Amino acid sequence: MASRPTAAFFDLDKTIIAKSSTLAFSRPFQAGGLISRRAVLRSTYAQFVYLVGGADHDQMEKMRQFMSQLCAGWDVATVKEIVAETLHHIVDPLVYDEAVSLIEEHRLAGRDVVIVSASGSEVVEPIGAMLGADRVIATRMEVEDGRYTGGIAFYAYAEEKARAIRELADEAGYDLAECYAYSDSVTDAPMLGAVGHPYAVNPDRDLRRLAAAKGWPVLVFNRPIALRSRVLPAGRPTLAALAVGGAVAVGGMLWASARKRRLEA
């Protein structure tokens, strides 16, 4: 009897990358005319609180409310364009070397790689493509007439992450008892508990305590690298391949200046 397929599920923020993926784009969003300087300062403060204090339920709820209010009325196409043109400049230096090595190991072992993040799909899906992930589970914002309403169609958070993983396992035939999961936050305890091989990565205090109680291994990732310096196994799109294809990393100000020139031409 053939064995069932398996997967490795990775949280994104502070597990694969060293910051909040959504807040990392605050300055390019400002340069693109989507948010004010005051909002950028609020995002910077939120990033600091997130990195220092971790993301408990109250912090995540505040983050959800902040981002929902912030993006209401944004043009979806503009957001996707900003993310696509600034992705490498923003995210490339934030990726943990240890996470890339784990992704390589799982891929070589024949497992699918799935990124599961509370950040929006417009940010998570390009990062997933950059890393060569097979699938992405991410928050989906409500859209009407090409603009965000400020509502959330699906919030990939806490128990909803675990539910989405179980649904994906049913669809793809994954044997969850043989699957792996990685996260830094106690809010992802349901996701970690859904698989047979859970790992706490750079855990917050509550997750460290839970991991000790349940016997979950603890990993420490502390080496952010330039992803383009790593060569991932062939067969899926990677940052190196995208760079060779001509996707040049540019900062938000460069993007805004170029867009302004196009509009004035």
Side-chain angles (χ1 to χ4, degrees), residues 4 35 40 50 70 77 89 95 100 112 119 121 127 145 148 164-165 167 189-190 212-213 217 230 243 253:
R4 293 164 59 190
I35 61 177
V40 172
Y50 176 70
L70 190 66
H89 175 77
V95 179
V100 176
D112 285 352
S119 293
S121 59
I127 294 175
D145 299 323
Y148 297 112
I165 285 173
E167 290 179 353
R230 293 291 302 264
M253 292 303 295

Side-chain angles (χ1 to χ4, degrees), residues 161-176:
K161 280 190 177 183
R163 183 178 64 81
I165 285 173
R166 288 191 291 266
E167 290 179 353
L168 178 58
D170 288 342
E171 173 189 325
Y174 295 144
D175 181 357
L176 286 177

Side-chain angles (χ1 to χ4, degrees), residues 89-119:
H89 175 77
I90 297 297
V91 176
D92 184 19
L94 302 177
V95 179
Y96 284 121
D97 185 28
E98 298 93 338
V100 176
S101 294
L102 262 180
I103 289 172
E104 291 176 349
E105 290 174 14
H106 284 299
R107 188 173 298 155
L108 291 171
R111 300 184 189 96
D112 285 352
V113 173
V114 183
I115 295 177
V116 188
S117 175
S119 293

Side-chain angles (χ1 to χ4, degrees), residues 209-220:
R209 185 182 299 118
L210 180 64
K214 289 185 173 291
W216 294 347
V218 173
L219 304 178
V220 176

